[in-house]
Amino acid sequence: MRLKMLNDVDYLISKPKIGAAGKTGLWRQFKPVVDEKACKLCKVCILYCPENVIEIVNDQLKIDYEYCKGCGICSNVCISNAIKMVEESE
Amino acid sequence: MIAGLPGEELFLQGHTACAGCSQALAVRIAMKALGRNTIVCLATGCLEIYSTQYRRCAWKVPVIHMLFENAPAVASGIEVAMKKLGKKANIAVFAGDGATADIGFGALSGMLERGHNVIYICIDNEAYMNTGIQRSGSTPYAAYTTTSPPGKVSIGNKTFKKDLPSIVAAHRIPYVATANPSYPKDLYKKVKKAMDFDGAKYIHILTPCPTGWGFESNESIEIGRLANETALWINYEVVNGEITDVMKIKEKKLVEEYLRRQARFRHLSKKEIEEIQKIADENARIFGL
């Protein structure tokens, strides 16, 4: 009886998870595309990304398109104009 | 490390905040400063709705969701309990402007009065955005909301924005600050500084809302900067009752530039804009900008 109750309590606890609301990248209308030649790796986009989807892998900017909502802030704050917003096509 | 900020993310991607939500950015930066050893209390609001769905949550730290009115009271309880248990942790409250200025103000005032060692962070998007843009005590003068619609007899919100940081500072707590996610390093520095003080701390963050204010999702950072540059919002600190470290503006802009970019101020005529300019000039005079 007691064990069962404990299990029930455990069931009510939320666990941390990347993508708590599913693949939010499906919302995207415009896709940020990085121009590797123009990018100076200044990390301003990483600092301002509200979604925390940009990281640097092997000295290249990598955007996680699974969760990027395509808000365009990265493109807007980029000092060297290296991120272009391209319309999504099916 | 990113621009002097720790790389560890405690607020995970894939929550349901609107695209371009600067509140998500503010919370992300604040969590970088607070670190892993933190207990978070959330009042009802956008933040709670989009980050803690049933069984999954976007937080890597313990989070407790409370009602609109009692998040500071719960945080006070947690602080006392942790003291009794002999454990040390940062206790932070994240609450919106509705929960802070209107509904939960009594509990907040009580917490400040008793001086619990809690960091209270108010994320102010200037209306009840979560339930569909109703006006709150923090909504600025003449702004459109669904409960203050402009028309023949109304100019929008009739009342002025409640000056919460000053009200909180009047409780004589050691640290009060205002911040803006358009200046993330400043925000990080202020949360970090708040952790050094013993007693109740309060940080008020202006978070431009693309949905409620009516601008494109990529403009959040720009609009936030304009709020500072027009002196309608001022980043400052109050340390032990004295105003210090007012963020200087390089080039002061007219409020019209800020107002015209937002749909909630689209109905304004010259007369109202002049009145809002007066508010900005008064702010600039008080803080010596």
Side-chain angles (χ1 to χ4, degrees):
Chain A
M1 183 65 195
R2 203 175 152 202
L3 248 172
K4 201 184 163 201
M5 260 174 72
L6 270 176
N7 277 340
D8 285 350
V9 171
D10 188 44
Y11 198 73
L12 286 169
I13 294 174
S14 299
K15 298 268 165 64
K17 186 173 183 281
I18 288 180
K23 304 245 183 291
T24 47
L26 293 169
W27 303 8
R28 196 170 54 239
Q29 282 180 313
F30 289 89
K31 182 182 180 176
V33 178
V34 187
D35 177 1
E36 251 116 52
K37 276 178 201 151
C39 177
K40 295 190 180 78
L41 294 177
C42 65
K43 301 182 187 172
V44 163
C45 51
I46 303 180
L47 186 64
Y48 280 105
C49 177
E51 204 58 30
N52 165 32
V53 291
I54 313 177
E55 54 184 351
I56 290 177
V57 181
N58 299 333
D59 280 345
Q60 272 187 349
L61 219 57
K62 192 176 151 272
I63 298 172
D64 186 352
Y65 292 116
E66 225 156 68
Y67 300 110
C68 169
K69 289 168 187 161
C71 64
I73 286 180
C74 51
S75 165
N76 225 15
V77 296
C78 183
I79 298 160
S80 41
N81 261 331
I83 303 176
K84 296 270 176 312
M85 300 304 287
V86 182
E87 199 167 355
E88 285 275 354
S89 50
E90 285 299 315
Chain B
M1 296 286 271
I2 308 150
L5 272 59
E8 191 187 18
E9 300 290 347
L10 297 166
F11 192 63
L12 300 169
Q13 58 266 51
H15 45 69
T16 50
C18 305
C21 178
S22 66
Q23 189 182 78
L25 173 62
V27 173
R28 207 190 122 207
I29 303 285
M31 282 316 294
K32 276 176 189 281
L34 287 164
R36 226 165 225 283
N37 189 21
T38 305
I39 297 171
V40 172
C41 304
L42 294 178
T44 307
C46 277
L47 178 62
E48 171 261 323
I49 296 292
Y50 73 64
S51 66
T52 55
Q53 277 90 9
Y54 179 49
R55 297 218 65 196
R56 295 159 301 184
C57 78
W59 300 78
K60 263 185 160 175
V61 294
V63 168
I64 181 165
H65 164 226
M66 271 305 125
L67 307 176
F68 257 124
E69 50 271 60
N70 65 351
V74 170
S76 311
I78 293 172
E79 192 255 355
V80 173
M82 293 295 276
K83 215 179 253 174
K84 198 83 185 163
L85 289 168
K87 288 182 183 170
K88 273 201 135 182
N90 308 315
I91 293 139
V93 182
F94 284 92
D97 54 304
T100 308
D102 304 343
I103 308 173
F105 187 72
L108 170 65
S109 186
M111 186 194 88
L112 300 171
E113 196 184 307
R114 295 187 298 269
H116 291 283
N117 194 8
V118 172
I119 302 175
Y120 191 100
I121 298 176
C122 170
I123 25 186
D124 180 1
N125 49 20
E126 302 195 324
Y128 291 87
M129 298 308 179
N130 166 38
T131 46
I133 321 164
Q134 287 87 8
R135 76 160 285 283
S136 78
S138 200
T139 307
Y141 176 67
Y144 160 86
T145 65
T146 48
T147 48
S148 65
K152 273 181 194 161
V153 289
S154 163
I155 47 140
N157 185 36
K158 288 191 194 82
T159 56
F160 293 92
K161 188 177 168 79
K162 202 185 272 185
D163 188 3
L164 267 169
S166 299
I167 300 170
V168 171
H171 287 77
R172 299 179 180 230
I173 60 169
Y175 187 75
V176 178
T178 59
N180 187 334
S182 299
Y183 304 94
K185 281 186 209 169
D186 178 66
L187 169 58
Y188 175 82
K189 194 191 79 194
K190 278 171 177 161
V191 179
K192 224 32 192 179
K193 192 170 177 183
M195 287 158 70
D196 295 340
F197 289 89
D198 194 36
K201 284 89 61 173
Y202 179 87
I203 299 170
H204 197 105
I205 307 175
L206 181 80
T207 54
C209 168
T211 314
W213 295 16
F215 55 81
E216 288 296 321
S217 64
N218 63 355
E219 295 174 329
S220 299
I221 305 296
E222 268 177 79
I223 299 279
R225 279 189 195 139
L226 272 174
N228 266 55
E229 284 162 356
T230 52
L232 279 172
W233 181 258
I234 290 166
N235 283 0
Y236 63 94
E237 286 175 312
V238 184
V239 182
N240 296 320
E242 265 181 59
I243 294 175
T244 55
D245 202 17
V246 180
M247 188 186 252
K248 294 274 178 251
I249 309 167
K250 271 182 200 149
E251 188 190 348
K252 200 163 168 285
K253 289 177 178 163
L254 293 175
V255 290
E256 194 162 2
E257 206 170 318
Y258 171 70
L259 303 178
R260 286 290 176 228
R261 303 267 307 255
Q262 302 170 44
R264 63 173 179 160
F265 290 119
R266 198 161 282 161
H267 59 280
L268 294 192
S269 64
K270 269 233 161 70
K271 197 182 136 223
E272 280 103 40
I273 290 174
E274 264 164 34
E275 225 155 300
I276 294 170
Q277 183 66 52
K278 265 182 214 159
I279 300 172
D281 292 344
E282 182 69 9
N283 277 346
R285 192 186 61 79
I286 292 169
F287 291 96
L289 291 171

